[in-house]
Amino acid sequence: MPAAVWAEEVVLGLSRDKISITTRFEGSDILIFGAVKREEPIPEGSELEVIVTVEGPSEPVMVRRKANRFGIWVNTDAVEVDAAPSFYAVASSGALGDVLKDIEDLRYKVSIPRAIRSVGAPMTIQDSESFTEALIRIRKANGLYQELDNTVAVDEQTLFRTSVRLPANLTEGDYRTRIFLLREGNVVADFDTTIDVRKVGLERWLFTLSRQQPLVYGLMSLAIAIAAGWGASAAFRMLRNG
């Protein structure tokens, strides 16, 4: 059935649309909720499903493969992934493969593999897709990529809500948030907004200094390290002599 027949729209709310990263930042939970606006009664014969994605800034990533050569682990192959989100979470009201058709995933790039763009690889590498798989596996282990099946609650095919955990190791930037309404695996409506993630206070000052004056930042870091080492040594001598 064509999407126009359903004529459903997303009305969205966010518990927070700005995240401030400070030196004490330990992550944040974002509550994403909303409703479905209709001009007609709820369609019969198909259940409404909802998918929510939160995507951090994308960047190129060099993925390297190591091999044991004479007892030493060395880099043997490398593939540059053209663009990979620094953070990506996809939450769905059911199992993602059940509520979203593959052709719709290809069109909207909803799943984690589809959100990553890797066009080319050296001709000498036959299994370039394994590098993307390795990147996904590593970032999942670090909490940066999340597949959250059955975590979007849908009430009376009208209200929906979910929660996404943003880890402490966030990249600064605009986090694109998308909501998809689906019936029979087809996207019938979508909505797009952003969550602003910025460093503030001392964290912002250090970040700016490291980018604009790297020499000063390096010297300052060295001085702090020397001072910390001297302080620890002095404290140890006092404890030993006391």
Side-chain angles (χ1 to χ4, degrees):
M1 185 181 295
V5 174
W6 282 303
E8 296 172 300
E9 298 180 15
V10 178
V11 180
L12 176 70
L14 295 171
S15 61
R16 300 172 66 185
D17 60 3
K18 292 184 179 180
I19 301 293
S20 297
I21 301 178
T22 66
T23 53
R24 296 183 178 181
F25 181 72
E26 297 180 353
S28 178
D29 290 311
I30 297 295
L31 176 63
I32 302 169
F33 57 93
V36 181
K37 178 182 177 181
R38 302 183 181 90
E39 299 296 336
E40 302 291 338
I42 296 176
E44 297 181 358
S46 61
E47 288 293 319
L48 179 73
E49 304 288 355
V50 179
I51 296 175
V52 176
T53 68
V54 180
E55 178 181 355
S58 291
E59 56 195 3
V61 180
M62 183 64 71
V63 183
R64 304 181 188 277
R65 176 160 55 197
K66 292 186 177 182
N68 194 316
R69 297 288 187 267
F70 307 106
I72 301 175
W73 288 95
V74 296
N75 294 324
T76 56
D77 297 314
V79 169
E80 183 177 56
V81 175
D82 299 276
S86 56
F87 173 85
Y88 196 84
V90 51
S92 51
S93 54
L96 186 62
D98 295 337
V99 303
L100 178 68
K101 288 183 177 179
D102 189 63
I103 187 66
E104 294 287 74
D105 188 15
L106 181 62
R107 178 184 177 187
Y108 291 97
K109 296 177 173 54
V110 176
S111 65
I112 293 175
R114 290 273 164 75
I116 298 173
R117 183 165 61 88
S118 184
V119 178
M123 297 295 294
T124 55
I125 297 178
Q126 302 298 321
D127 58 341
S128 59
E129 66 280 356
S130 66
F131 288 79
T132 301
E133 293 170 358
L135 174 64
I136 293 173
R137 184 171 60 252
I138 292 170
R139 291 195 169 179
K140 279 185 176 180
N142 292 331
L144 293 173
Y145 286 175
Q146 304 173 15
E147 293 178 341
L148 308 170
D149 289 350
N150 301 292
T151 58
V152 180
V154 181
D155 299 327
E156 302 297 329
Q157 298 195 58
T158 300
L159 303 176
F160 63 86
R161 64 189 182 280
T162 190
S163 179
V164 174
R165 177 67 179 176
L166 300 179
N169 51 338
L170 287 179
T171 298
E172 186 182 37
D174 292 331
Y175 280 60
R176 185 186 183 193
T177 302
R178 296 182 295 166
I179 294 86
F180 300 94
L181 305 182
L182 306 100
R183 291 188 183 276
E184 299 176 1
N186 298 302
V187 175
V188 300
D190 65 287
F191 184 89
D192 202 312
T193 187
T194 59
I195 299 172
D196 185 38
V197 176
R198 303 292 171 189
K199 295 180 173 68
V200 297
L202 178 61
E203 186 77 7
R204 158 58 60 186
W205 182 76
L206 291 173
F207 178 80
T208 302
L209 184 66
S210 67
R211 295 298 187 274
Q212 297 182 357
Q213 301 184 55
L215 178 59
V216 175
Y217 178 80
L219 292 174
M220 186 182 70
S221 299
L222 180 61
I224 292 174
I226 293 174
W230 179 85
S233 177
F236 179 76
R237 286 196 302 271
M238 290 178 61
L239 290 173
R240 184 177 59 183
N241 294 333

